[in-house]
Amino acid sequence: MLHYLSLKDIDSLPNWVEEARSLKTNPKHHKGLGKDKTLGLLFFNNSLRTRLSTQKAAMNLGMEVIVMNFGSEGWALEYGDGTIMDQGSSEHVKEAAQVISQYCDIIGIRAFASLTNKEEDEAELVLESFKKYATVPILNMESSVGHPLQALADAITLVENNTKPKPKVVLSWAPHPRALPHAVANSFVEMMQRQDADFVITHPKGYELSENITKGCTIEYDQEKALENADFVYVKNWSNYTNYGQVINKDTNWTITLKKLGQAKFMHCLPVRRNVVVADEVLDSSQSLVIEQANNRTYAAQIALKKILESLS
Amino acid sequence: MLHYLSLKDIDSLPNWVEEARSLKTNPKHHKGLGKDKTLGLLFFNNSLRTRLSTQKAAMNLGMEVIVMNFGSEGWALEYGDGTIMDQGSSEHVKEAAQVISQYCDIIGIRAFASLTNKEEDEAELVLESFKKYATVPILNMESSVGHPLQALADAITLVENNTKPKPKVVLSWAPHPRALPHAVANSFVEMMQRQDADFVITHPKGYELSENITKGCTIEYDQEKALENADFVYVKNWSNYTNYGQVINKDTNWTITLKKLGQAKFMHCLPVRRNVVVADEVLDSSQSLVIEQANNRTYAAQIALKKILESLS
Amino acid sequence: MLHYLSLKDIDSLPNWVEEARSLKTNPKHHKGLGKDKTLGLLFFNNSLRTRLSTQKAAMNLGMEVIVMNFGSEGWALEYGDGTIMDQGSSEHVKEAAQVISQYCDIIGIRAFASLTNKEEDEAELVLESFKKYATVPILNMESSVGHPLQALADAITLVENNTKPKPKVVLSWAPHPRALPHAVANSFVEMMQRQDADFVITHPKGYELSENITKGCTIEYDQEKALENADFVYVKNWSNYTNYGQVINKDTNWTITLKKLGQAKFMHCLPVRRNVVVADEVLDSSQSLVIEQANNRTYAAQIALKKILESLS
């Protein structure tokens, strides 16, 4: 039984990308595979792309989909072991995960980082608790630590647009008014570590991501230098990791402009704040791949669901 | 590629009504037409009839439906050009509309008038922005200015119940405790301008709808006089248009009673406030067509979706 | 036309249980029965098990499902007769029920007790109003007075796990920090009155359920004595019925432990507060049937929907 919790669950990234591209040319080809199978999507946080593309992917595979906004429609969950549940939480994840496993053949979960409890976030409290107690496969629709469906879509997009044997890919931090999680950046780094590329991470000093994630990566604090001769520039804000969840820097000198981008292709997971993270001129140019990245979310979800379904039979 | 944004998008109202009535006799007849097509319904506002009837219509056509409460489930959208998005909005409609177009074959949108910004409302900011940036057809599920699915259902209901070559149809304002949009009244007027009928609008002085809409229509400020010998009385509250969005008048003398109605049939789009807009005795009488109007919402949506689907192939 | 509003709507409980168990062995066997039929699920309250299992059951029968969170997505409903609706309610149940009946072949409704207005709760205001004005069958997904889908799932679970001709079944009250409705306890009692069992109810003095429900049942105020030699212990909190909706007692001496349970099987409808209602050691033991009870919710809903569908043809 295959879970898709992180990129580590992919046996061969090139093969998954290849097969996803094949699904893209004929999305309904495996419509029989999901027949009489139910995908339950549990949202603990808001979602646009993940919500729609994962439903679309499941329907392409002939699955039935049940969507639930867990926070507003269900019961507040308890995760602690041995808790005397006389406070806010009405149901323990032990019961919830086992119960939902009886109604759904696969459970997708979106549960963002709290950005207040680093230890719980790093432990993937929600995702790992569901994995532990569920009896069916779990699909990560963005957890506190990673967003592997996004990274898989990014991998597809890179392959579709790359023309070089070893392209230069830069992950650049950009400013943002609110505290954002590290999940997208983490999974992008993990994905790049599986690519044959010249990969550079750039961000202001003090904005280092977890060393567990970036181990072995080149970090260049000078954005201009980092961007030199880049083929792909992946831009993303994240809040401070050391001063966990704080917004310490909003320096608009880090905003991506056409001049900074040079000849590179621009990538972002969306939603993106125009003229804060990146200038209009970039998003509205032909160098932007953001819409195609979003399109590839469908095929990322579809290949992940297909692999999981195949692991069930 | 056909959009259904307003009644102007209908090539022939009599033909659409005729075909809708035919769908009504055999709702599943075209179940193959929507096969492997996805309808995305984006709700920026509450909905009962539109929510259920549009889903029902799509399922009658064999479509898959994804429903999203955009406000609570997605990201706050920015519509301005060149905005530095460092405030509340997380995503620009430019991205959202393009992205959703990749997951859905048709996008339905419900976005009520703000009733605070007349210029934006009149410009159909949300609907027109989606139309501009989406790459698939847009279905208007009530916008700031119009509710063409309701007007189409009303046209079906009129044809089903009319017995005269040229019936007298009256649109009467009625009181309401809250500020309501002009959309339903606007679209009803636009629909009536395409009918062979003696059409009269009645409302208190100062409650004139937009002249762009009512151009050429008879306006009679004396409700009693307006209702004389009416065959159909369509009742609807709207907030003041000149003092935009204000509730200036709650005069219960405008409430519709059986005595005022005479022999006419009563119509209303629902939801309706009993004994404020209209007396119980009217709604509970056989002269009320409101339930059948609601029923015809399914076939109005179905003919609109059918026409759009046909325009795609 | 069959409604499923309470256990009284079951012609033969043993037959329904038998047929539900047969559905459980082959859930998709009747997938043709619900073809082109739409189930509308209206939630006035939160739900996990009911939400998912009823959707699952409907899909097993080949139905299309429309889910609506009535409170947040629709209009506030008025139930009073002759009300001048100039306050908070936008739509009367008279219209809502008739209208939804045109879009859905069966309407499921979840509307909890208010716990503030005993008279309205006892009269099943929401459920009975929908039944009165709808023109299609109503499925009770937990009303103010009963939760017959839960009781039906419990009946299935009892049959599956019972080994004696006349088992001893105990319904025990347990403490809870919040005011909970009586619906689950009521329906369990009603179900037990249709079983060949030695049935005992135990709760603190003053926590009597409605006499209309418990008429003829053995009530034992000494929990220890009640639990002696029990085969099944069904645990549930309910708020005070006499001092309607009050939480008068939170006595943790009533919490169920392994010692108290003895050799009995443990049952609970979920969600359950661990170490308040029942100790971890019970839920985590093989004596707990709660996960299987939740599983049987699917087949309870499926047999109810099947019976209703058959009544329509």
Side-chain angles (χ1 to χ4, degrees), chain A residues 227 229-233 260-266 287-288:
Chain A
L227 294 177
N229 299 314
D231 296 297
F232 296 91
V233 179
K260 282 188 191 178
L261 189 63
Q263 300 302 312
K265 298 288 188 183
F266 173 80
Q287 287 171 256
S288 170

Side-chain angles (χ1 to χ4, degrees), chain B residues 26 68 96 137 146 157 185 235 262 294 301:
Chain B
N26 193 353
M68 184 171 171
T157 311
V235 179

Side-chain angles (χ1 to χ4, degrees), chain C residues 216-248:
Chain C
C217 293
T218 304
I219 296 173
E220 169 57 62
Y221 296 112
D222 181 337
Q223 190 192 34
E224 196 181 327
K225 206 166 154 190
L227 295 177
E228 263 172 25
N229 298 316
D231 296 297
F232 297 90
V233 179
Y234 198 99
V235 180
K236 183 73 188 83
N237 169 269
W238 57 86
S239 58
N240 204 280
Y241 180 73
T242 312
N243 296 290
Y244 192 62
Q246 299 304 299
V247 177
I248 287 166

Side-chain angles (χ1 to χ4, degrees), chain A residues 115-133:
Chain A
L115 295 182
T116 55
N117 188 328
K118 191 176 188 169
E119 198 183 346
E120 279 187 8
D121 287 351
E122 296 275 300
E124 293 277 32
L125 181 66
V126 179
L127 196 71
E128 287 295 331
S129 298
F130 269 91
K131 185 197 164 188
K132 184 171 178 184
Y133 297 112

